[in-house]
């Protein structure tokens, strides 16, 4: 039931065939303990994982709304109670988002650079743009031009205005190019200090290209769900790349990388506004798609808690999967609590938070869990000989069902 991350081309072809069924098909990886990338603890990051051969966008939406997240085709659900740095799913309501003064400065600086009215070299004085008309523009003394986030974001793309640089933002399905890999290698070496021998095309593909989701068209609109790359091009040069998933209810940020030579533009922060704006545009076409998911929020980690600066944001309750304002969580984090739930009363249990209680899983529940048995055929997992002969195998199945929930367990096919 487990899956090795090093997938051969033959296995990849098999996974493509599985995806043609239009179903979610997975192998169970099970529990894992890893060194923490945030506090550097040894084997202190606890999670449960599955390997997705194929996955529908709606099923992945349901999984991230249960605290799951993907890295390539590997999906994992952290145990927030046992892990050293609890990872809470965070989302932003883009239709209620308002930029702060300091956030607007990030956008204005980027726009002024593209227009050529600001230069990072302090020796170069910014020029004052002139209008094409000789006539003065008279405006009331109390006139204030209020621009929406979308107006601000798209301002430097206006072809009717003269700019020093040509900015292009291109959204395309996730794919490999030498140009993207070169940017990735440069970013990983400079920003994350990865060793040259640890940076490979294969690793890049597994991490930021591979996805279990196929492109899915939404109704009669031009919106497609699936895994995408948003390219930032200045004068035709790729300076940044956003990896995102577009799902029925959200845009989920997977990763963002940029050319370190352009770090003066604050591209990491700028990309957040660019992606929020993208969600707002999709929301006009897809009623359900209005949230921006930034991955996980870790209150004790500055590299992860900055996400709370974008408001209004909610965190996911790890037990009953309800959303609560981040301020409510912060009040408890500030009191020294690391595992926070608003489920009252919190159930007494000896299994991970958010799981279905293993003892409540019945034989009838398991008869509705299907496994691939070959040649495109599926059968209830209870019909597998190993299910009755191996207590360990049966526990693996029950744990998986409890981790994804009964509704998803009855839709997903185990391979």
């Amino acid at each position: 039931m487990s899956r090795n991350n090093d997938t051969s081309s033959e296995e990849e072809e098999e996974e493509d065939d599985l995806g043609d069924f239009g179903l979610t098909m997975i192998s169970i990886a099970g529990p894992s303990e890893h060194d923490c990338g945030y506090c550097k603890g040894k084997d202190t990051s606890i999670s449960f994982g599955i390997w997705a051969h194929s996955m529908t966008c709606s099923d992945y939406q349901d999984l991230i709304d249960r605290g799951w997240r993907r890295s390539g085709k590997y999906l994992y659900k952290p145990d927030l109670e046992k892990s050293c740095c609890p990872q809470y799913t965070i989302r932003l309501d883009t239709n209620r988002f308002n930029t702060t003064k300091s956030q607007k400065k990030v956008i204005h600086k980027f726009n002024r650079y593209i227009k050529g009215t600001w230069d990072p070299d302090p020796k170069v004085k910014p020029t004052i743009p002139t209008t094409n008309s000789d006539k003065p523009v008279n405006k009331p003394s109390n006139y204030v031009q209020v621009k929406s986030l979308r107006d601000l974001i798209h301002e430097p793309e206006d072809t009717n205005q003269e700019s020093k640089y040509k900015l292009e933002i291109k959204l395309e399905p996730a794919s490999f190019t030498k140009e993207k890999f070169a940017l990735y290698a440069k970013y990983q070496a400079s920003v994350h200090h990865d060793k040259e021998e640890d940076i490979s095309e294969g690793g890049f593909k597994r991490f930021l290209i591979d996805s279990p989701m196929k492109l899915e068209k939404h109704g009669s609109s031009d919106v497609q769900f699936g895994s995408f790359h948003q390219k930032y091009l200045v004068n035709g040069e790729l300076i940044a790349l956003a990896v995102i998933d577009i799902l029925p209810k959200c845009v989920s940020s997977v990763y963002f990388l940029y050319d370190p030579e352009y770090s003066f533009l604050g591209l990491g922060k700028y990309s957040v506004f660019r992606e929020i704006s993208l969600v707002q545009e999709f929301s006009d076409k897809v009623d359900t798609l209005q949230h921006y998911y930034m991955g996980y929020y870790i209150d004790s980690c500055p590299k992860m808690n900055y996400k709370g600066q974008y408001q209004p944001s909610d965190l996911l309750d790890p037990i009953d999967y309800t959303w609560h304002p981040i301020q409510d969580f912060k009040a408890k984090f500030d009191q020294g609590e690391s595992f926070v739930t608003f489920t009252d009363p919190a159930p007494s249990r000896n299994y991970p938070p958010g799981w279905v209680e293993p003892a409540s899983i019945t034989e009838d529940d398991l008869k509705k869990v299907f496994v691939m048995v070959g040649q495109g055929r599926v059968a209830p997992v209870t019909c597998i000989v190993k299910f009755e002969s191996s207590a360990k195998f049966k526990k693996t199945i029950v744990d998986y069902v409890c981790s994804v929930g009964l509704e998803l367990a009855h839709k997903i096919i185990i391979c």
Side-chain angles (χ1 to χ4, degrees):
M1 311 306 292
S2 62
R3 178 80 174 192
N4 191 304
N5 281 6
D6 293 324
T7 310
S8 69
S9 58
E10 187 175 309
E11 289 171 322
E12 287 173 351
E13 290 177 6
E14 178 186 341
E15 289 182 1
D16 288 339
D17 291 340
L18 293 175
D20 292 340
F21 286 103
L23 297 170
T24 295
M25 313 186 85
I26 65 95
S27 293
I28 303 170
S32 66
E33 298 180 359
H34 295 290
D35 294 348
C36 180
Y38 306 107
C39 72
K40 309 305 178 185
K42 297 295 183 183
D43 294 331
T44 55
S45 183
I46 316 298
S47 64
F48 191 91
I50 58 177
W51 179 271
H53 304 277
S54 66
M55 179 162 285
T56 66
C57 294
S58 61
D59 283 351
Y60 183 51
Q61 176 73 66
D62 290 342
L63 281 170
I64 63 173
D65 284 335
R66 291 180 63 89
W68 289 76
R69 187 159 172 78
R70 78 174 183 91
S71 176
K73 292 186 176 183
Y74 179 73
L75 281 76
Y76 59 99
K77 177 178 171 57
D79 185 329
L80 277 65
E81 198 168 33
K82 290 184 178 179
S83 293
C84 52
C85 299
Q87 303 169 65
Y88 292 83
T89 301
I90 184 170
R91 75 175 187 184
L92 169 75
D93 185 344
T94 63
N95 290 337
R96 293 168 54 213
F97 174 71
N98 287 310
T99 48
T100 64
K101 188 175 180 180
S102 62
Q103 290 170 346
K104 285 180 181 178
K105 284 182 178 179
V106 175
I107 303 172
H108 285 309
K109 182 172 74 170
F110 181 90
N111 291 353
R112 284 163 50 215
Y113 174 77
I114 296 298
K115 293 176 184 177
T117 59
W118 174 79
D119 194 286
D121 187 343
K123 297 177 184 177
V124 180
K125 295 182 179 179
T127 57
I128 300 174
T130 57
T131 62
N132 294 326
S133 173
D134 293 328
K135 295 180 180 180
V137 179
N138 296 317
K139 296 178 181 178
S141 58
N142 63 346
Y143 176 85
V144 178
Q145 184 179 13
V146 179
K147 292 186 176 183
S148 69
L149 172 63
R150 278 190 267 182
D151 289 336
L152 286 173
I153 281 293
H154 292 298
E155 194 175 278
E157 299 164 63
D158 187 351
T159 56
N160 295 320
Q161 294 185 9
E162 289 188 10
S163 295
K164 183 177 180 180
Y165 302 104
K166 180 184 179 183
L167 173 68
E168 296 175 277
I169 305 294
K170 294 184 178 181
L171 185 67
E172 64 183 31
S175 62
F176 176 85
T177 67
K178 293 289 186 181
E179 184 183 34
K180 291 176 183 177
F181 174 67
L183 179 67
Y184 167 78
K186 190 175 183 180
Y187 175 80
Q188 293 297 124
S190 177
V191 177
H192 292 289
H193 310 294
D194 287 2
K195 297 178 181 178
E196 184 178 349
E197 59 267 28
D198 294 332
I199 302 173
S200 67
E201 289 188 1
F204 173 57
K205 290 176 182 177
R206 286 192 296 272
F207 180 33
L208 299 176
I209 308 292
D210 290 351
S211 169
M213 291 176 283
K214 301 285 187 181
L215 297 184
E216 300 174 10
K217 197 172 185 299
H218 173 73
S220 59
S221 74
D222 60 355
V223 177
Q224 281 187 308
F225 301 146
S227 299
F228 291 82
H229 285 168
Q230 191 170 49
K231 301 193 298 184
Y232 293 59
L233 299 138
V234 173
N235 285 356
E237 176 191 358
L238 182 66
I239 68 163
L241 183 70
V243 183
I244 59 175
D245 290 328
I246 301 174
L247 302 172
K249 296 181 182 178
C250 72
V251 167
S252 174
S253 174
V254 178
Y255 202 66
F256 182 77
L257 53 118
Y258 58 86
D259 187 332
E261 292 181 22
Y262 288 85
S263 59
F264 60 86
L265 286 175
L267 288 168
K269 292 180 179 179
Y270 177 80
S271 68
V272 173
F273 306 119
R274 175 65 66 171
E275 289 166 23
I276 291 173
S277 174
L278 182 66
V279 182
Q280 292 176 342
E281 291 166 29
F282 285 145
S283 183
D284 291 342
K285 303 174 182 179
V286 183
D287 291 340
T288 58
L289 207 169
Q290 69 179 61
H291 286 97
Y292 176 50
Y293 286 51
M294 296 181 72
Y296 289 131
Y297 171 91
I298 301 176
D299 190 69
S300 60
C301 178
K303 289 183 178 180
M304 300 294 280
N305 65 21
Y306 76 91
K307 299 173 184 180
Q309 298 171 6
Y310 304 95
Q311 293 293 329
S313 285
D314 298 322
L315 297 186
L316 186 67
D317 190 297
I319 289 184
D320 66 2
Y321 305 123
T322 54
W323 295 95
H324 300 266
I326 192 171
Q327 292 84 355
D328 294 350
F329 278 86
K330 282 288 293 178
K332 295 197 173 189
F333 290 144
D334 292 344
Q335 293 173 2
E337 297 183 40
S338 59
F339 177 74
V340 174
T341 177
F342 295 93
T343 305
D344 188 23
S348 175
R349 55 191 164 70
N350 57 358
Y351 50 90
W355 281 30
V356 177
E357 182 180 359
S360 71
I361 302 298
T362 67
E363 194 76 11
D364 285 341
D365 290 331
L366 294 175
K367 286 179 181 177
K368 299 174 187 175
V369 177
F370 287 85
V371 61
M372 180 74 71
V373 293
Q375 299 180 338
R377 296 175 300 168
V378 297
V381 71
T382 51
C383 294
I384 305 298
V385 173
K386 195 174 181 181
F387 183 80
E388 292 298 337
S389 64
S390 171
K392 182 179 180 181
F393 178 84
K394 185 172 184 178
K395 182 181 186 305
T396 296
I397 297 297
V398 171
D399 285 350
Y400 154 73
V401 170
C402 292
S403 68
V404 301
L406 284 170
E407 184 176 347
L408 279 169
H410 292 162
K411 291 168 62 179
I412 295 173
I413 307 298
I414 302 171
C415 297

